[in-house]
Amino acid sequence: MSFFGLGRPQPSSAEKIAAVEAEMKLLTEMANRLTKACQQKCVPNDYREAELNKGESVCLDRCAAKFFDVHMKVSEQLQQESQQRGGGGGFGFGG
């Protein structure tokens, strides 16, 4: 029995690798959703300049901040619900 594991069996290397791969997939999908949503909202389809203007930059910054804020709140809520049902798993980034 492990003192730090509180009696739970330690995951094997293959299980650890699978968990990291799943987390990387989740983070990649989240980054893709953020990019798509914020680009659609903040950057016009007809590019007029090579660089982002100040309004577009501010919009992207705020959009990304809101996206992460909502993601964290949803992750926390899902984690609380999982713990109330007896599960102990976390959900994604920061969860």
Side-chain angles (χ1 to χ4, degrees), residues 32-88:
N32 289 338
R33 286 192 314 269
L34 176 138
T35 300
K36 183 178 180 181
C38 293
Q39 185 173 7
Q40 285 178 343
K41 180 179 179 182
C42 300
V43 181
N45 290 332
D46 57 331
Y47 296 103
R48 296 183 190 110
E49 303 170 17
E51 301 292 323
L52 293 172
N53 64 38
K54 184 171 183 164
E56 293 166 343
S57 295
V58 169
C59 180
L60 288 168
D61 185 53
R62 289 181 180 164
C63 181
K66 288 178 184 178
F67 189 95
F68 281 115
D69 186 44
V70 168
H71 179 78
M72 293 300 291
K73 288 178 182 178
V74 169
S75 293
E76 290 170 5
Q77 185 65 34
L78 288 172
Q79 188 174 21
Q80 287 175 0
E81 290 176 10
S82 175
Q83 289 174 349
Q84 288 172 353
R85 281 182 271 150

Side-chain angles (χ1 to χ4, degrees), residues 6-28:
L6 300 174
R8 290 181 281 166
Q10 296 298 316
S12 68
S13 293
E15 291 171 330
K16 289 178 185 178
I17 291 170
V20 169
E21 288 174 345
E23 186 74 11
M24 290 298 297
K25 182 179 179 187
L26 180 73
L27 289 173
T28 300

